[in-house]
Structures are given as structure tokens and as C-alpha cells.
Amino acid sequence: MNILILGSGGREHSLAWATLQNPKCDKLIVAPGNAGIAAIADCASLDIMDGAAVVAFSEANSIDFVIVGPEAPLAAGVSDDLRAAGFAVFGPSAAAAALEASKAFTKEICDACNAPTAAYGHFTDAAEAKAYVTAQGAPIVIKADGLAAGKGVIIAMTETEALDAVDTMFDGTFGAAGAEVVIEEFMEGEEASFFVLCDGVNVLPIGTAQDHKRAYDGDKGPNTGGMGAYSPAPVLTDAIAQKALDQIVKPCVAEMARRGMPYQGVLYAGLMIKDGQPRLVEYNVRFGDPECQVLMMRLGAQAFDLMHGAADGRLSEMQANWAEDHAVTVVMAAKGYPGDYAKGSVIKGLDALPEDAMNMVFHAGTTLLEGAVTASGGRVLNVTARGDDLAEAQARAYAMVDAIDWSEGFCRRDIGWRALGSG
Ligand code: AMP
Ligand code: GLY
């Protein structure tokens, strides 16, 4: 099969790495890709937000199957354009991608099927939003309705902060994403991510993970896209995962189908767990980045069969057999990230590192310049390892980090602390 993956992050490098191990893959193109992906597959420059361009490229390259990595092209309807042109695609329609693109939509779906989530109000008017805040009190969570690159959520610990947050949302800081606001009950507990493949009707869990959103050790500093992850997430026990499936994911997927917008692709449920009960924080309509990297390490070549089965409506006959071990990924970012950072520094020492089923450096913001791997983004490398337990996986990942010569980069030294009970 000729396969096209859309995206350029560590997530897409890990998807490419797993796909290439599958004998069904004859040819792999990643658009636009990065320096790490270019070492294992063809990279093509293509505007992945332009559905017509993606269709024309797929036709010209005899593509059989397209995997859409990030949420933006999904929300823009690129998978719809591909399907309309007859291509098999892994990734939801624009209508179903509203599960990530609109928080109010997700809350409404949860209401319709009684899925446990935070109590909320939905507002298009600042005065009404403020009245709700005053009635509910703090802590309280203020969210821009639309896609805001992970920045549209303000957790207000006091009522004054909450009222200011409402003003910030409605004054245009978040653009169109903030024209509608969801205000939610603050949920306490431990967060974990639950990943499920869906074929429109059937759902198949493919693993659990925990991300580290803050920039610095001890969960300090500003929020980022994610500074590291591990899988499995021990807080998501089998019993809690079953509850999440029965009470949250399956009812929501059934509700989507009932509304004529069947969900096909990976559904990433962000859960808050307290006293053995999961509640939904949010859905994402794509793999997490960097969570995907640890999931792919544990799934390997079958990940491609599972994604293809989801696109083909065959999940009811499939099983996910992930490795019963642990995987850790440590993100190396450019100094300054998530604020301003420099581009163009050269990263050395990568060639000497092992690249096998147990150890992989997945690239994110890298470019090959005159033969040198050069940093070209905020999050730059995902140093990933497996081990019999989390401590072993963590030690392996940091041994690789220490062998990388990149003084302009930084990473957290405590990825995994929650599950290891340290920190
Ligand atoms: P979201 O974009 O909805 O995932 O929110 C980003 C982060 O804000 C989540 O990963 C949580 O850490 C936090 N968060 C969001 N909603 C809530 C809530 N209702 N209660 C507590 N924390 C929340
Ligand atoms: N790592 C968080 C996300 O991909 O949304």
C-alpha cells in the first residue's frame, strides 16, 4: 500500500516509524515531515490545510491510505475532501472533529448521553458569564470554546481571577475561539489520557498515557504542548479504564452515530480521576503529542493495521496487543520554549544513539541543513525508550538525552515522577 501521513511533529515521526514496520507498507510519504522523518521516508512539501491540494497530491502519488496527524486539517475538513475523492482516511470528518474543535459541542454530547464530566455553563455574553461565575464561586475553569492551540483554558483560583478571565476571553485575545465561552466546575484528581480507536460504531482501547504539560520540573512554569509522557498510566487501572469506556467513550460514540456524524479515527479522552471514578476533561480527535510516541513504541507494526481497520469499519474483529512493558518519552525543547526561542542551532550526537524497538529519538522541530540536524521549532526531539518497568524505561531515555550534544536545548529531568512516586 502507498501511505501518506500528514504532519511534521514527533507524533507523525512515531506514526511513520510504526507504519514502516508493517509489511503492508510499500511506500510512505510524510507531508511536510521533518529531518528525522526524512531519514526513514519520503517527505513532501504540501499545504496540509488545503484539502484540494492534498487530494491532488494523493492522486498524483497513487496513495491508498491517508493518516491525518494534527487536529487543524481535520477541523478544516481535509479528511472529508479525501473521502469524497475516494481515498481511505484515518481521521474524523470535520463534523465529528467538533469533539475537539468545540468544547460546548462536547459538553452537549456528554449531557445527551449522561457521560460524567464537569458541570458547566455556555455563554456568548460577558455579563451572563460573570453572573454565572459569581453564583458558582471559585475555583472555576474558564475556556474558550474553539481551538486555541491548548492556550484557551484559564483555571481561576479566585473569583476576581475568574471575572478577569471572562473579560480576557470576550476581548478577543483568543480570536474567534473565544467568542463563545464554557465555564466549568473545577475538578480535582489526577489526570490521565485514554486512547481509543473508533470505526464509527465499534471502539477499541489502544493504551493509556500521562503527559507533563508544564515546562519545568515539579510541574512548574508555563503550560506547553507536552514535555514528556509515559505509558501505561498506572492511575488508569483496568477497572477505571472500563468505566471510562462504558460510561464516557461508548455512549459518546453512540450519540455521535445517532446524530449522523459517526466518529472514525483515534479518540483521545483526557480524564480526571478521583476516588476510582473517571470524568471527562476533554476530547481530542487525534493522537496526543508526545503521548503518541509512547503508544507507538508499545504497539509497533500493528498500529498501522488497527488504524486501517478503524478506517475500514473492521474494528469489531480486531484486538490491540500492546507490549506489557513501559515506555517513556522525554521532550527536548529549544531554550525559551514555550516563549521565544532561537532556531538554527545544530544538534550533535544523534548518529551514535541506538534506533531499534526499545530506543528511538523521534524528531519534532528539526530540519536538515547542509547535512546537519538543526533545531527549527520549540519542541525539537522526543527521546523515547522502553523498559520492563517505568524506572528502567526512564533511565534508558535519560541516558540517551545525556548523550545528545545540544547546549541550546533543555528538558525536564523528572518525566514519570507521578507514577514513580518521586519528585
Ligand atoms: P483542556 O484544553 O480542556 O484539556 O484543558 C487544559 C488543561 O486544563 C487540562 O488538561 C486540565 O489540566 C485543566 N483543566 C481543564 N478543565 C478542567 C476542569 N474542569 N477542572 C480542572 N482542571 C481542568
Ligand atoms: N500532549 C497533549 C496533546 O497532544 O494535546
Side-chain angles (χ1 to χ4, degrees):
M1 243 188 269
N2 296 337
I3 299 158
L4 172 65
I5 297 178
L6 302 182
S8 62
R11 168 178 52 209
E12 287 76 21
H13 190 178
S14 70
L15 290 170
W17 173 82
T19 298
L20 279 167
Q21 293 170 41
N22 193 301
K24 295 195 188 77
C25 176
D26 297 312
K27 179 173 149 194
L28 176 65
I29 305 178
V30 184
N34 59 39
I37 297 173
I40 60 172
D42 289 342
C43 289
S45 78
L46 175 63
D47 178 1
I48 64 169
M49 293 298 289
D50 180 344
V54 175
V55 167
F57 181 89
S58 302
E59 280 166 353
N61 289 277
S62 308
I63 296 297
D64 302 300
F65 188 58
V66 184
I67 299 170
V68 184
E71 64 276 18
L74 292 167
V78 170
S79 63
D80 302 85
D81 293 338
L82 282 161
R83 267 186 219 107
F87 290 99
V89 189
F90 178 76
S93 63
L99 281 179
E100 177 165 356
S102 167
K103 295 189 192 292
F105 175 80
T106 300
K107 297 301 269 188
E108 190 204 315
I109 294 288
C110 288
D111 279 354
C113 63
N114 285 319
T117 183
Y120 76 105
H122 171 219
F123 305 93
T124 51
D125 174 81
E128 285 174 24
K130 286 184 179 175
Y132 184 81
V133 164
T134 308
Q136 300 296 318
I140 195 160
V141 183
I142 321 288
K143 300 183 172 187
D145 178 69
L147 290 178
K151 298 188 183 76
V153 175
I154 298 173
I155 300 188
M157 297 316 287
T158 65
E159 196 176 312
T160 313
E161 266 179 80
L163 295 172
D164 288 348
V166 169
D167 284 330
T168 309
M169 291 289 168
F170 284 108
D171 78 6
T173 304
F174 297 101
E180 296 186 37
V181 169
V182 168
I183 304 185
E184 273 186 13
E185 165 200 358
F186 174 78
M187 293 188 284
E188 283 177 22
E190 187 168 345
E191 269 187 279
S193 308
F194 185 40
F195 293 88
V196 176
L197 295 185
C198 309
D199 65 6
V201 177
N202 304 289
V203 302
L204 181 70
I206 54 163
T208 64
Q210 264 176 316
D211 188 12
H212 299 62
K213 291 198 163 123
R214 301 298 190 111
Y216 312 130
D217 285 18
D219 285 346
K220 303 254 165 42
N223 263 323
T224 71
M227 293 300 290
Y230 53 90
S231 173
V235 62
L236 249 174
T237 59
D238 289 349
I240 297 176
Q242 194 60 48
K243 277 190 194 168
L245 206 55
D246 293 341
Q247 298 175 4
I248 302 174
V249 174
K250 281 185 180 170
C252 288
V253 168
E255 178 64 19
M256 294 294 284
R258 201 183 64 73
R259 293 187 183 204
M261 44 177 91
Y263 189 89
Q264 186 267 98
V266 59
L267 191 57
Y268 156 178
L271 303 174
M272 190 69 83
I273 296 150
K274 187 161 179 262
D275 302 333
Q277 177 62 45
R279 291 208 282 166
L280 185 75
V281 178
E282 60 161 354
Y283 279 127
N284 293 305
V285 299
R286 34 92 194 162
F287 282 106
D289 187 345
E291 294 94 322
C292 187
Q293 290 78 313
V294 283
L295 294 176
M296 290 304 125
M297 280 305 264
R298 296 182 65 218
L299 285 169
Q302 67 178 309
F304 174 74
D305 292 321
L306 296 174
M307 290 188 280
H308 195 233
D312 250 8
R314 287 184 288 110
L315 279 186
S316 63
E317 34 183 277
M318 305 189 91
Q319 256 193 315
N321 300 306
W322 54 77
E324 285 299 332
D325 62 1
H326 298 250
V328 172
T329 188
V330 177
V331 170
M332 296 184 78
K335 280 181 183 162
Y337 173 81
D340 291 341
Y341 53 83
K343 295 183 183 177
S345 55
V346 171
I347 303 163
K348 294 190 190 133
L350 293 172
D351 288 346
L353 294 177
E355 292 209 335
D356 52 37
M358 302 301 287
N359 309 275
M360 269 304 297
V361 178
F362 296 116
H363 289 221
T366 64
T367 308
L368 207 55
L369 282 183
E370 292 167 8
V373 174
T374 308
S376 56
R379 293 190 295 171
V380 173
L381 298 172
N382 304 101
V383 184
T384 314
R386 286 166 58 190
D388 287 340
D389 56 28
L390 181 58
E392 185 180 68
Q394 188 198 49
R396 284 199 178 129
Y398 280 113
M400 288 199 285
V401 165
D402 291 338
I404 294 172
D405 178 3
W406 182 37
S407 55
E408 289 81 2
F410 79 100
C411 68
R412 280 180 60 159
R413 300 295 311 189
D414 64 348
I415 300 305
W417 69 270
R418 217 178 268 282
L420 288 170
S422 60

